[in-house]
Amino acid sequence: MSHPKAKDYRKIAREKLSGHWGEAVLTTFVAALLGGVAVNSTTFSANVDLDELSDLADKIDWDQLGASYEHIMETVNVSPALLTFVGIVTAIMSIWSLATFILGGPTRMGLCQYNIDLMKGESKFANLFVHYDKFGKGFLAKLLVGIFVFLWTLLFIVPGIIMNYAYQMTFYILADNPDMDVMDAIKESKKMMKGHKWQLFCLQFSFIGWAILSAFTIGIGSLFLAPYIEAATAAFYKQISGAEVEIIEAPVVGDVEDVADIVVVE
């Protein structure tokens, strides 16, 4: 039996989402508003020549730049109404950021539960909130994973990226095992992802074309892309967590080979 590839997981996702797209879009959108959608699909990094950066900084006339900024601020007439509006928007964004930080963990558990159940054909919107009774556990998981990834990133960018992938199954494991200790779930995720980090990276990177196309739709395409990625990741989780994945190669018709049929067997 050949090992599943990115296209295989995408195939599973499309099959499971068939007839459930509306529900999946709504569920993922609400999860995103509550901070439950992981932002880790493909990470890019750039190497910076520090000597060139230093030379560029030396060429900048910082005194002139400061004077220009002060002149602009003195000449711009800011109305009280505009300042009030900016203050209200800033307050709303601050409250929302705090809310997503607090609600993100348990919401992420719920979204993982939704997609795990989607693989079984048992998905429903209410699953998004099914783990709110484990609120503290979800919050702690998000906090600890965030801290661990941050600490690894302090060593260097690459270790941070690698460990980010090592921890990505944490919320799926907690959704499947809500009574499990958070640290045990994190350790299990590291164990589960051993030898699979590159595979998950390739799966997430395979959506880059769709992400670029979504950018041309002013983000509307992301409403459909996000649940697509989440469903494919859930299929990936089910496979590496021990669910049997049967791949039956489709026959070649003419010069075009049909995509393999994939069945996830519980």
Side-chain angles (χ1 to χ4, degrees):
M1 181 183 298
S2 59
H3 200 285
K5 299 179 181 179
K7 67 176 182 178
D8 300 327
Y9 295 119
R10 295 198 306 271
K11 171 65 174 176
I12 295 175
R14 291 194 300 272
E15 288 181 346
K16 298 300 182 179
L17 284 167
S18 180
H20 298 277
W21 274 105
E23 176 189 79
V25 167
L26 175 62
T27 303
T28 308
F29 177 70
V30 174
L33 291 179
L34 298 176
V37 172
V39 185
N40 48 28
S41 301
T42 345
T43 306
F44 299 93
S45 62
N47 294 320
V48 178
D49 189 324
L50 295 180
D51 292 332
E52 291 182 4
L53 190 60
S54 178
D55 292 340
L56 178 61
D58 291 337
K59 294 177 182 178
I60 297 176
D61 188 340
W62 295 103
D63 292 333
Q64 180 62 35
L65 186 63
S68 299
Y69 172 77
E70 291 177 0
H71 177 69
I72 292 173
M73 295 305 294
E74 288 175 357
T75 55
V76 172
N77 182 21
V78 181
S79 68
L82 179 58
L83 288 175
T84 301
F85 175 75
V86 171
I88 293 174
V89 171
T90 302
I92 292 175
M93 294 301 295
S94 298
I95 294 172
W96 182 47
S97 296
L98 178 61
T100 57
F101 176 73
I102 295 173
L103 299 174
T107 302
R108 181 64 190 165
M109 283 180 66
L111 184 60
C112 290
Q113 185 68 63
Y114 173 85
N115 284 283
I116 289 172
D117 290 341
L118 181 67
M119 296 298 105
K120 306 174 186 177
E122 302 172 358
S123 64
K124 54 184 178 180
F125 175 76
N127 287 352
L128 185 60
F129 308 101
V130 72
H131 290 300
Y132 267 46
D133 61 335
K134 304 289 184 181
F135 193 93
K137 183 168 292 187
F139 174 79
L140 181 60
K142 181 175 182 178
L143 181 63
L144 290 178
V145 168
I147 291 174
F148 292 157
V149 172
F150 173 73
L151 292 176
W152 279 104
T153 304
L154 288 179
L155 296 178
F156 198 62
I157 297 295
V158 173
I161 295 174
I162 292 174
M163 295 312 297
N164 178 47
Y165 277 91
Y167 299 137
Q168 281 198 31
M169 295 298 107
T170 299
F171 288 97
Y172 288 97
I173 294 169
L174 284 175
D176 254 349
N177 309 274
D179 294 325
M180 179 181 286
D181 181 75
V182 172
M183 283 304 303
D184 288 341
I186 292 174
K187 292 176 183 177
E188 182 63 24
S189 178
K190 290 173 61 179
K191 179 181 177 182
M192 187 179 293
M193 287 298 291
K194 189 174 182 180
H196 294 288
K197 300 181 190 70
W198 177 250
Q199 187 183 3
L200 180 57
F201 173 84
C202 290
L203 171 59
Q204 294 180 341
F205 191 84
S206 71
F207 290 97
I208 190 67
W210 291 107
I212 293 173
L213 289 176
S214 295
F216 289 100
T217 64
I218 321 178
I220 296 176
S222 298
L223 292 174
F224 296 89
L225 178 60
Y228 188 13
I229 294 174
E230 293 287 352
T233 305
F236 172 86
Y237 163 73
K238 294 303 292 183
Q239 192 274 326
I240 67 170
S241 65
E244 181 183 353
V245 180
E246 181 181 359
I247 303 178
I248 306 172
E249 297 296 336
V252 176
V253 180
D255 294 328
V256 181
E257 182 178 1
D258 295 335
V259 180
D261 292 324
I262 304 165
V263 180
V264 177
V265 182
E266 291 296 324

